[in-house]
Amino acid sequence: MQTRRRKAIGQYHILDSASEADFDNITMLTARICGAQSAAISFIDDHRQWFKATWGIDQRETPIAVSFCAHAIESEAIFVVRDAHLDPLFANNPLVTGAPHIRFYAGMRIEADDGTPIASLCVFDPQPRPGGLTEQQAVALRVLASQVQALLQLRLSLIDREAQVAAQTKLSNELRYVADHDVLTGLPHRGPFNKRLRSAIHDARQDGARLALMLIDVDHFKQINDSLGHTAGDAMLIKFAERLRGILRVTDTVARLGGDEFGVVLTDINRSEEVSAIVHSLIERLHKPMEHEGRLVDCRASIGLAIYPDHADTAELLTRCCDQALAEAKQSRGCVETFHPGMAEEFERESRMLKVARQGIEMQRIVPHYQPKIALSSGRLVGFEALVRCALNEGPAILPEMFELAFADRELAAAISRQMIDRVLDDMRSWIDRGLAFGHVAINTCAADFHANDFAERLLGNIEQRGLDPRLIEVEVTEGVFLGRGAHHVARALSVLSQRGIRIALDDFGTGFASLTHLKQFPVDVLKIDRSFVAGIGSNPDDTAIVRALIGLGQSLGIETVAEGIETLAQAEFVKTHGCDVGQGFLYSAAHPADLVPSIIDLLTDPEAA
């Protein structure tokens, strides 16, 4: 029984715990109801009784040999000692002959959840009570003892809950660690490394600091695996990881990016000499032979190096620069190559693209260029598509081809889209105020718009803010939006927009992989036939057949079809003859070749001008 009781008490984690108001209040209430000088909640341990709560005494524990409660827990009924001086079991007890001079005692046992008696709620007094407890006092003692049991059960539930939370937290941490770290080397893998690189660049930009990115490739790794076995290859990767960790500073980051490639971020590099010193030390350590199963294995590595902001100002471009430098280093093997502009003129072009986009965003010069949409059956203007342009100076607006790389950057693409939407909605408000009938305006979206799950709400909020009718808006999506990051938010967003009256157009139809699936899954109102197919009408039999089939598909599904990129009368006549609803392209903009798009005021004032 003693072992069982010890185990039962242990599950509550209560012995030697701090006082708690709930238990203290019960002892106070018990003493007052029972008219006793003292009360206690006493747990019976192996060699002592320990008081969780007391009233009227200062002791926290006594030896088990003098415990009244040790006897009380053996009885299912209230254990009562009316006069300890007259009870042969307690007459010589030190608690009777000395402080607190117990003459009267009454205790009700407290059980664990499995029925094991573990404690007692008791009252005691220096005055004997020949009559014991009154009936009301006895009832109160039992009820209050059951309250102690309820508190213990609640305590056990909280302990179980905390244990579950701790176990879940531990498991979550372990899974997160496994997800973020390479099992073989213990280093972070590519995902956390790229995140750290972006964060380091952000910090460096804020502080005006420099950082270095290194990509390290183990030379002849395949040959080592093939000749000495994968065990030797694994041992080499582990050794490389240990050497990298041993060389780098605490503030630096090292990761295994995959296979035999490692990545390093060196932060707070103020002088080129610092980078050179670290790289020199790195090469010296990495190139030391490794001992494996009693034989020395030659270790060598190629390293590509790029510096922020000297070579690039984004994580993506810096990584590309480093990749170029690594590729050149691997031509010679066992050396370090630092990126220089001559390695890839393409990088310069991409940098210019991103610069144009950033300047356009910062200067609020992202502007819409409106291309008319013409009803083929009547030749009348039915709406516009808002095409993005960047107007950095007084010259012609910069076409999206000049900053297309920005659309691959989530943050830049989202910023461009926000400015475009604001400008278009402002223009629409202005046209309405001037009494111009413009039909509808189609706004293009990108995958970045749907990265968060609030695109529909943000767009509708902007529309409502300007007092516009949602039915004047058409939202164009491409299959890239369905397949990009945040694609799981697209269906909900399109459904919300469609329910509010905004038409949904599927752009560049036929150029992706799952167009028919998208027509079934999403609320598509408009099917836009890609200009690449329209351009081949009359000259390419396949393109001609595809255009005819897509128009037929739209008719079968009751979806409006729009032919993009119409440049000739023959193309316009073909799509019109086969039942296409709307056309847009250079043919309808030729009246103003300087701008390629006619003045919107002219078109809105006189639709026949289209």
Side-chain angles (χ1 to χ4, degrees):
M1 173 59 76
Q2 192 176 44
T3 301
R4 179 181 171 187
R5 184 168 63 246
R6 184 191 314 121
K7 182 179 180 181
I9 294 175
Q11 67 181 332
Y12 296 103
H13 301 174
I14 198 166
L15 291 180
D16 299 308
S17 62
S19 63
E20 298 176 49
D22 288 339
F23 291 102
D24 293 341
N25 290 336
I26 286 178
T27 57
M28 178 270 292
L29 188 60
T30 303
R32 290 184 175 179
I33 291 175
C34 293
Q37 179 176 297
S38 305
I41 298 172
S42 171
F43 284 84
I44 308 305
D45 199 3
D46 289 348
H47 306 293
R48 61 171 178 163
Q49 68 170 347
W50 178 79
F51 301 125
K52 172 60 181 174
T54 61
W55 178 262
I57 61 170
D58 296 327
Q59 292 163 290
R60 293 308 302 268
E61 63 180 68
T62 70
I64 195 73
V66 302
S67 170
F68 282 68
C69 293
H71 298 276
I73 67 172
E74 300 297 331
S75 173
E76 293 184 0
I78 296 175
F79 180 75
V80 179
V81 178
R82 290 177 170 80
D83 189 343
H85 279 180
L86 304 178
D87 193 316
L89 192 61
F90 299 104
N92 297 320
N93 190 304
L95 300 180
V96 176
T97 60
H101 302 286
I102 297 175
R103 295 289 296 277
F104 169 74
Y105 172 91
M108 181 64 199
R109 82 178 185 186
I110 296 167
E111 298 177 348
D113 63 333
D114 64 352
T116 303
I118 58 173
S120 171
L121 173 63
C122 64
V123 292
F124 44 95
D125 204 83
Q127 301 298 323
R129 287 194 194 181
L133 296 173
T134 67
E135 183 177 349
Q136 289 84 356
Q137 290 171 340
V139 170
L141 185 61
R142 290 190 185 93
V143 171
L144 291 170
S146 70
Q147 290 301 304
V148 175
Q149 286 189 193
L151 286 176
L152 291 176
Q153 191 60 39
L154 177 60
R155 185 187 191 91
L156 188 61
S157 298
L158 292 174
I159 290 171
D160 289 343
R161 178 81 57 85
E162 290 173 357
Q164 291 175 7
V165 171
Q168 290 174 352
T169 300
K170 181 183 177 185
L171 178 60
S172 178
N173 291 337
E174 290 174 350
L175 292 175
R176 187 179 299 111
Y177 180 87
V178 170
D180 289 347
H181 289 77
D182 171 51
V183 175
L184 180 65
T185 64
L187 295 176
H189 60 50
R190 186 179 295 275
F193 180 78
N194 288 339
K195 184 177 180 180
R196 171 57 186 148
L197 176 59
R198 288 192 293 270
S199 175
I201 288 177
H202 176 270
D203 293 342
R205 184 179 292 120
Q206 297 294 318
D207 300 336
R210 301 167 74 222
L211 65 83
L213 171 65
M214 288 193 294
L215 296 180
I216 304 168
D217 198 82
V218 180
D219 291 338
H220 307 296
F221 184 70
K222 185 177 185 303
Q223 291 88 323
I224 293 172
N225 268 335
D226 292 343
S227 59
L228 301 179
H230 289 281
T231 301
D234 288 349
M236 176 172 283
L237 294 175
I238 293 171
K239 180 61 69 175
F240 263 69
E242 291 174 353
R243 291 176 176 177
L244 287 169
R245 277 190 292 242
I247 296 167
L248 299 176
R249 304 163 301 174
V250 176
T251 55
D252 299 328
T253 302
V254 59
R256 183 186 177 195
L257 305 182
D260 59 348
E261 185 177 356
F262 295 84
V264 172
V265 176
L266 306 175
T267 56
D268 296 321
I269 300 299
N270 297 318
R271 304 188 324 276
S272 299
E273 292 77 7
E274 292 182 71
V275 181
S276 299
I278 293 174
V279 171
H280 177 76
S281 177
L282 200 61
I283 285 290
E284 186 177 359
R285 289 285 300 275
L286 291 180
H287 285 189
K288 287 183 178 179
M290 178 193 74
E291 184 176 348
H292 177 69
E293 296 182 351
R295 63 180 295 177
L296 290 178
V297 180
D298 186 36
C299 292
R300 299 186 72 78
S302 301
I303 301 177
L305 175 68
I307 307 292
Y308 167 89
D310 303 26
H311 301 140
D313 61 356
T314 70
E316 291 76 12
L317 283 181
L318 195 66
T319 300
R320 292 189 186 186
C321 291
C322 211
D323 275 329
Q324 287 289 324
L326 176 61
E328 189 156 321
K330 290 170 70 172
Q331 297 298 317
S332 304
R333 303 281 186 181
C335 66
V336 180
E337 289 289 348
T338 301
F339 175 81
H340 57 83
M343 286 182 175
E345 293 182 1
E346 182 68 14
F347 283 175
E348 195 66 33
R349 185 181 72 87
E350 293 177 347
S351 296
R352 287 196 298 271
M353 284 187 178
L354 293 176
K355 183 178 180 180
V356 166
R358 288 197 184 91
Q359 287 181 338
I361 293 168
E362 292 171 3
M363 298 170 61
Q364 296 286 311
R365 302 305 298 273
I366 300 298
V367 297
H369 187 67
Y370 296 99
Q371 185 176 79
K373 299 173 70 175
I374 305 300
L376 293 173
S377 60
S378 65
R380 298 183 66 84
L381 175 75
V382 294
F384 293 91
E385 178 181 353
L387 304 175
V388 65
R389 298 289 188 269
C390 184
L392 289 181
N393 48 49
E394 298 302 322
I398 299 173
L399 299 176
E401 290 80 2
M402 295 301 296
F403 55 99
E404 63 181 350
L405 192 64
F407 298 105
D409 184 294
R410 190 174 71 239
E411 293 183 4
L412 292 179
I416 291 171
S417 182
R418 285 194 297 270
Q419 283 197 28
M420 272 289 290
I421 290 174
D422 285 343
R423 289 292 182 89
V424 170
L425 297 182
D426 286 343
D427 285 346
M428 292 175 65
R429 182 67 265 170
S430 173
W431 301 337
I432 291 174
D433 292 342
R434 297 168 65 179
L436 302 177
F438 54 87
H440 68 269
V441 177
I443 301 174
N444 289 282
T445 60
C446 60
D449 289 321
F450 298 92
H451 179 66
N453 197 21
D454 64 347
F455 173 71
E457 287 73 16
R458 285 190 286 110
L459 177 57
L460 289 169
N462 288 334
I463 293 171
E464 184 177 349
Q465 183 181 10
R466 293 165 174 84
L468 298 175
D469 186 344
R471 290 173 297 180
L472 299 177
I473 308 293
E474 187 174 288
V475 167
E476 294 193 8
V477 294
T478 65
E479 289 188 321
V481 170
F482 297 121
L483 304 175
R485 190 172 181 179
H488 52 292
H489 298 319
V490 175
R492 192 196 73 85
L494 296 185
S495 176
V496 170
L497 295 174
S498 180
Q499 290 172 12
R500 293 291 298 274
I502 293 177
R503 296 205 309 168
I504 308 300
L506 185 55
D507 198 10
D508 299 340
F509 186 76
T511 60
F513 296 98
S515 298
L516 293 178
T517 301
H518 295 152
L519 288 178
K520 291 174 57 180
Q521 292 180 341
F522 299 98
V524 176
D525 303 292
V526 179
L527 193 63
K528 302 200 73 176
I529 303 171
D530 188 66
R531 66 185 63 250
S532 62
F533 300 131
V534 174
I537 291 176
S539 59
N540 186 310
D542 292 338
D543 289 342
T544 303
I546 290 173
V547 171
R548 186 186 299 113
L550 293 179
I551 294 172
L553 178 63
Q555 291 172 332
S556 299
L557 297 176
I559 297 175
E560 179 182 293
T561 52
V562 178
E564 296 184 295
I566 296 177
E567 298 184 358
T568 67
L569 290 172
Q571 293 168 352
E573 185 61 28
F574 179 89
V575 295
K576 174 183 176 181
T577 301
H578 287 84
C580 185
D581 300 298
V582 175
Q584 63 180 95
F586 179 78
L587 178 65
Y588 306 109
S589 307
H592 297 267
D595 294 331
L596 295 183
V597 176
S599 164
I600 187 168
I601 300 300
D602 290 344
L603 280 173
L604 296 178
T605 306
D606 181 13
E608 295 299 333

